[in-house]
Amino acid sequence: MKNLFERHERHEGGECALLVQLKIASEYRGDAEEFKELVASAGVSAAHFISGSRVKPDSKYFVGKGKAEELRQAVEDFEVTVVIFDHSLSPAQERNLEQLLNVKVIDRTGLILDIFAQRARSFEGKLQVELAQLKHLSSRLVRGWTHLERQKGGIGLRGPGETQLETDRRLIVDRIKNINRRLDKVEKQRHQGRRSRQRAAMPTVSLVGYTNAGKSTLFNRVTGADVYVKDQLFATLDATLRRVEIADAGPVILADTVGFIRQLPHDLVAAFRSTLEETKLSHLLLHVIDASHSDRQEHITHVNEVLAEIGADDVEQIEIYNKIDLLDDIEPHVDYNEEGKVKRIWLSSATGEGMDLLFDALKAHFGKDFIHCWVNLPATESRLRAQLYELGVVVSEKETSAGDFSLEVSMQKHLLDKYVREQGSIEFVIDRKIATNAG
């Protein structure tokens, strides 16, 4: 299978590219710098940048005939090996452009898929990217193949009269089915881990945001972890989970997720469905925003559009305006909404300025149901005692004269109530007043 797809999956690093970006009346105007960063992230050097504008894309070349001739001349003048469009091209447009320019043509979707293919590290991430690549490839299979319309006998591969093109399509379909089966197994394992956290009633906080907004830097700052951080688009693809202790609010699970971007390929969104499920089921979203970026409002809009696409738009959200160290005269502070709730926090995850404001906000959000009390357990409840220790909620312990357990705990009240309901024999103390569960 590797030989079948390698010429379609990605271009070799170090190639020289011609970049094309048009302003289409019906589309977002596009960010030239972001486009150049994407190309650089793929390991390609840009030889020349061509821009322009159209009311709507041309059906044959996407660009008009005059601009197409300009592209052909630029390919010759700059001796480029690939032309990259900051737009989604149809298979026919890609094919027509390649025939005209006589070099490889890649659209924005193919470019992002290439970057994801280079950055995926986990087994699940690699499968997700390959699935998206194959779906994208299936509609462009004729590109680059000179023998597809010939009928070739193949031992054990195809039936009588089957063309090479039909064989390739069948192999792709079989591979997609295989990957989906493997992803289903990984997703079941993820669900088991998620159920364990739900049983422990441990809330999840997900970091979301536009790519390169500083999510992984913030994640490392909060958790003390060592997640890969680099000033480039899509530096991190694989979701990372860490447990964090919030003073007077208990433990929460913090999730670092893949960054979003405008025109994020739908096949990628579908392929990363299990990873993005973590975001959808979170108790709180921290929407990380690059406060220093000139297009930050557009970035906020694009992120919220993706959140709506995956069904996470109804999850409560706090905006984190990051990178204030790159702005003049901006001190760490908090903005509140009309109800007095935290709406946005201005901080710098790189320098640590304003991190106390973030922890205060998490404490206020999750500490409303938090209690500190004593729990008296009969000696026969050693299993429940072990569960409370496993949750990490036990502060201290002392043994009563009767040989029972007396545990000092700090935990969510609804979690304590859950255990009390399940164990009718528990006697617990709150504020030194003894209350007995009647069961």
Side-chain angles (χ1 to χ4, degrees):
M1 290 301 293
K2 182 178 179 181
N3 291 335
L4 174 62
F5 301 123
E6 62 185 0
R7 75 182 71 184
H8 294 278
E9 285 184 347
R10 69 172 68 170
H11 43 280
E12 295 294 326
E15 284 191 288
C16 188
L18 171 65
L19 311 187
V20 183
Q21 184 186 68
L22 300 186
K23 294 182 179 179
I24 306 296
S26 58
E27 292 184 6
Y28 169 66
R29 61 181 174 84
D31 184 339
E33 290 305 314
E34 177 187 279
F35 181 33
K36 293 175 183 177
E37 286 182 35
L38 274 175
V39 173
S41 296
V44 179
S45 59
H48 190 55
F49 185 92
I50 290 181
S51 60
S53 60
R54 284 186 65 85
V55 176
K56 63 179 181 179
D58 178 73
S59 59
K60 185 175 183 179
Y61 293 126
F62 189 86
V63 298
K65 291 183 180 179
K67 185 66 70 173
E69 177 58 29
E70 182 183 346
L71 296 182
R72 191 192 64 76
Q73 189 61 49
V75 167
E76 292 183 5
D77 294 343
F78 294 95
E79 298 181 347
V80 301
T81 55
V82 60
V83 176
I84 305 177
F85 278 71
D86 190 28
H87 308 273
S88 294
L89 302 178
S90 69
Q93 287 168 337
E94 264 190 26
R95 203 156 49 242
N96 293 335
L97 284 165
E98 287 188 340
Q99 291 172 355
L100 174 70
L101 305 176
N102 200 30
V103 293
K104 188 163 35 184
V105 175
I106 294 177
D107 68 352
R108 183 180 176 88
T109 298
L111 176 62
I112 294 176
L113 287 174
D114 185 275
I115 297 171
F116 271 58
Q118 295 181 50
R119 301 283 165 73
R121 293 291 179 266
S122 69
F123 173 71
E124 181 184 11
K126 291 177 180 178
L127 285 178
Q128 289 167 328
V129 173
E130 185 180 357
L131 178 61
Q133 282 183 316
L134 291 176
K135 289 181 177 180
H136 184 66
L137 171 63
S138 61
S139 64
R140 290 161 165 77
L141 196 57
V142 296
R143 185 181 73 181
W145 294 76
T146 60
H147 61 288
L148 295 181
E149 297 309 321
R150 298 201 305 268
Q151 291 182 352
K152 295 179 63 177
I155 297 176
L157 281 179
R158 44 191 169 273
E162 187 178 47
T163 67
Q164 180 68 44
L165 177 58
E166 291 167 338
T167 300
D168 296 338
R169 283 176 175 159
R170 175 166 54 80
L171 290 174
I172 286 180
V173 170
D174 291 343
R175 179 62 177 164
I176 288 176
K177 290 180 180 178
N178 186 4
I179 291 176
N180 277 323
R181 283 194 296 268
R182 297 168 79 178
L183 281 174
D184 286 341
K185 291 183 180 179
V186 175
E187 189 171 358
K188 288 179 182 177
Q189 295 173 349
R190 186 184 292 276
H191 279 314
Q192 289 175 351
R194 193 176 290 133
R195 282 198 299 270
S196 297
R197 295 198 301 275
Q198 289 173 342
R199 282 197 298 270
M202 201 174 298
T204 300
V205 179
S206 287
L207 299 177
V208 299
Y210 209 77
T211 181
N212 207 28
K215 295 182 299 301
S216 294
T217 303
L218 182 64
F219 182 87
N220 288 341
R221 177 70 66 173
V222 172
T223 65
D226 191 24
V227 171
Y228 177 71
V229 174
K230 192 170 183 180
D231 185 17
Q232 62 182 17
L233 304 183
F234 300 117
T236 308
L237 292 186
D238 301 311
T240 307
L241 306 179
R242 290 289 188 277
R243 172 175 165 150
V244 180
E245 289 289 337
I246 307 298
D248 297 328
V252 301
I253 297 296
L254 187 65
D256 186 19
T257 61
V258 60
F260 300 151
I261 198 169
R262 69 178 180 88
Q263 296 179 0
L264 189 66
H266 290 288
D267 287 339
L268 268 179
V269 175
F272 278 73
R273 66 188 186 281
S274 60
T275 304
L276 295 173
E277 187 83 0
E278 202 71 55
T279 301
K280 179 181 176 181
L281 299 178
S282 296
H283 298 80
L284 177 67
L285 301 181
L286 298 181
H287 182 169
V288 184
I289 301 158
D290 182 353
S292 66
H293 203 288
S294 58
D295 286 336
R296 71 187 187 197
Q297 194 55 50
E298 285 89 349
H299 291 179
I300 294 171
T301 300
H302 295 313
V303 170
N304 288 330
E305 287 174 352
V306 176
L307 290 175
E309 187 175 348
I310 65 176
D313 51 329
D314 59 345
V315 181
E316 189 169 349
Q317 180 183 126
I318 296 177
E319 295 178 344
I320 307 297
Y321 278 66
N322 192 24
K323 303 187 182 182
I324 64 169
D325 54 302
L326 302 180
L327 297 173
D328 295 328
D329 301 325
I330 297 292
E331 295 294 328
H333 65 279
V334 177
D335 295 333
Y336 298 89
N337 61 16
E338 297 80 3
E339 300 173 353
K341 293 184 177 180
V342 175
K343 179 176 177 59
R344 63 180 68 91
I345 304 173
W346 298 74
L347 54 75
S348 170
S349 56
T351 66
E353 296 176 271
M355 292 302 299
D356 55 330
L357 301 178
L358 174 58
F359 281 105
D360 288 345
L362 292 175
K363 175 182 174 181
H365 186 86
F366 293 108
K368 294 173 289 189
D369 189 39
F370 195 77
I371 61 171
H372 188 93
C373 64
W374 286 90
V375 176
N376 295 335
L377 301 180
T380 55
E381 296 294 344
S382 57
R383 181 179 177 183
L384 177 56
R385 171 178 172 270
Q387 288 177 333
L388 293 175
Y389 268 102
E390 186 177 351
L391 287 175
V393 300
V394 179
V395 178
S396 65
E397 177 182 2
K398 60 184 179 181
E399 189 173 332
T400 67
S401 56
D404 296 335
F405 305 112
S406 186
L407 306 178
E408 182 186 6
V409 299
S410 293
M411 61 194 304
Q412 300 288 333
K413 187 176 184 304
H414 71 271
L415 178 58
L416 178 60
D417 291 341
K418 169 180 174 289
Y419 284 115
V420 169
R421 286 193 301 271
E422 293 174 353
Q423 303 290 336
S425 60
I426 296 178
E427 183 183 71
F428 64 97
V429 181
I430 299 179
D431 293 334
R432 302 298 178 181
K433 296 179 180 179
I434 297 178
T436 303
N437 177 39

